[in-house]
Amino acid sequence: MKSINGKKIAAYLNEELKDKLKSFRIKENITPTLVVVLVGENPASNIYVKNKKIKADEVGINSVVKKLDSGVTEKQLLEIIDNYNKDNNVDGILVQLPLPSHINTEKIIDAISYEKDVDGFNSKNIGLLAQGRPYVVPCTPLGCLKLLKTEIELMGASALVIGRSNIVGRPMSYLLTNHHATVTLAHSKTQNLKQLCKRNDIIIAASGIPKMIKKDWVKDKAIIIDVGINQIVDEDNKKVLVGDVDYSNVFSKVKAITPVPGGVGPMTIHCLLENTLKLSMLRRNL
Ligand code: NAD
């Protein structure tokens, strides 16, 4: 039993990235630029964007937060994205989700040039990942993969991904398949999830259901990556963040598990910054 310290691993990887960015600056005279488009005043989105900007500044990525009023039209947003697509100084474009309901999210994500789609969410990048020839990999699944690789050989391992969202579950299943794991993808209509959990060496939990996975659901010495970030009120009436796995309940049975917070979250931000540098280099054939 072991806690996988995502915060520490991400801090180490961020230091490495900082050095790579420094060399890139010295050799090519380029500081990659990440644009984060934030629409409206969603409090959680505000915090996520702030954290991304702080980390980008720390490693030496130029970050720009483009704040837009919640009343911005789809047409205006498409024009803004088009301008960033054409701007040679912009390497990565991220549109913070969720968007207001009058805007078609898929249309906006697909309007980002695949070469600047730093989240890896648009249909071309998801298609390339599904075909096993990724250009850029979505940040949360990539962060999970990096954590898994510190614990287990993926080739031939059995992995259960719980959740089929376009930003976590589905791309995670493609990524694990590309790394030769045998993958099962579970979702809200899946029958006998507990039995499936018990059969797999690896569980990636991304359902958004607090503490759903208990000790009697997991195989002995399983590796668990808990993507869930759920706010609940604890016994002392305090608001706390918990994952989709009942961490203290399963801890003694598993080989390794990520905590929430301090597991996948910091790795997601690291991968966003790594992707920004990667896109900057790829676009210039470097
Ligand atoms: P989502 O709501 O879009 O998708 C949830 C998925 O879980 C759906 O595909 C649904 O079919 C499945 N699901 C729901 N109930 C289920 C059940 N009982 N059994 C099996 N599957 C079930 O959520 P998302 O955007 O994929 O995020 C999932 C969780 O991960 C959330 O808690 C979110 O906050 C968190 N998250 C964390 C990070 C991070 O960096 N740590 C990044 C993204 C999302």
Side-chain angles (χ1 to χ4, degrees):
M1 56 203 118
K2 172 187 168 191
S3 182
I4 306 173
N5 191 336
K7 195 173 168 188
K8 198 169 158 191
I9 296 171
Y12 175 79
L13 294 174
N14 284 341
E15 281 305 311
E16 271 190 354
L17 183 63
K18 197 174 175 177
D19 290 342
K20 284 185 200 159
L21 282 154
K22 194 175 169 193
S23 311
F24 190 51
R25 210 162 40 240
I26 292 166
K27 200 165 157 232
E28 309 291 344
N29 198 23
I30 296 168
T31 299
T33 293
L34 169 67
V35 173
V36 179
V37 179
L38 177 60
V39 181
E41 286 295 336
N42 178 323
S45 294
N46 279 335
I47 295 171
Y48 291 145
V49 169
K50 196 173 136 207
N51 289 341
K52 286 168 187 173
K53 180 156 179 56
I54 290 170
K55 289 291 168 200
D57 293 345
E58 269 175 28
V59 298
I61 283 175
N62 180 27
S63 65
V64 177
V65 178
K66 176 75 176 170
K67 283 194 170 194
L68 298 168
D69 188 83
S70 61
V72 68
T73 65
E74 190 177 281
K75 188 164 174 267
Q76 286 168 329
L77 189 51
L78 287 170
E79 274 166 19
I80 288 166
I81 290 172
D82 192 41
N83 285 335
Y84 286 133
N85 281 339
K86 289 175 183 150
D87 185 342
N88 197 37
N89 292 317
V90 172
D91 297 289
I93 306 168
L94 180 160
V95 176
Q96 185 66 41
L97 301 179
L99 288 171
S101 55
H102 66 278
I103 295 175
N104 180 330
T105 302
E106 282 78 30
K107 203 167 165 184
I108 297 300
I109 298 299
D110 274 352
I112 301 170
S113 155
Y114 85 98
E115 288 184 305
K116 298 192 179 187
D117 173 31
V118 72
D119 258 337
F121 290 165
N122 80 20
S123 36
K124 173 151 180 169
N125 279 320
I126 291 291
L128 289 170
L129 176 67
Q131 288 183 346
R133 49 188 189 113
Y135 186 79
V136 60
V137 175
C139 307
T140 300
L142 184 57
C144 294
L145 182 85
K146 286 179 191 280
L147 293 179
L148 275 174
K149 280 181 160 177
T150 66
E151 298 299 328
I152 187 170
E153 164 62 55
L154 290 172
M155 191 180 297
S158 59
L160 174 69
V161 179
I162 306 174
R164 60 176 161 185
S165 74
N166 287 336
I167 62 173
V168 186
R170 269 176 222 258
M172 188 75 239
S173 71
Y174 303 144
L175 192 57
L176 286 167
T177 304
N178 295 347
H179 284 78
H180 314 293
T182 303
V183 181
T184 305
L185 181 59
H187 46 76
S188 55
K189 304 284 185 282
T190 296
Q191 309 276 313
N192 300 323
L193 185 61
K194 182 176 168 181
Q195 272 67 36
L196 281 176
C197 283
K198 275 185 165 174
R199 282 212 293 268
N200 281 274
D201 305 323
I202 297 166
I203 298 174
I204 312 278
S207 66
I209 300 187
K211 297 187 177 185
M212 176 172 71
I213 296 166
K214 307 284 183 195
K215 191 174 184 172
D216 61 342
W217 287 42
V218 302
K219 189 175 173 177
D220 256 346
K221 308 258 177 286
I223 312 259
I224 303 193
I225 305 291
D226 191 352
V227 183
I229 304 178
N230 312 293
Q231 195 179 61
I232 62 161
V233 177
D234 71 2
E235 308 85 56
D236 306 323
N237 236 8
K238 273 203 227 125
K239 283 182 185 169
V240 288
L241 290 182
V242 297
D244 295 353
V245 182
D246 192 338
Y247 182 90
S248 51
N249 183 259
V250 305
F251 190 74
S252 60
K253 198 170 182 193
V254 300
K255 182 176 170 217
I257 178 169
T258 56
V260 177
V264 175
M267 292 298 290
T268 297
I269 299 189
H270 166 74
C271 292
L272 171 70
L273 305 176
E274 186 185 271
N275 278 352
T276 306
L277 174 60
K278 183 179 173 186
L279 291 184
S280 179
M281 296 173 88
L282 281 173
R283 199 163 53 87
R284 298 178 171 89
N285 294 319
L286 295 170

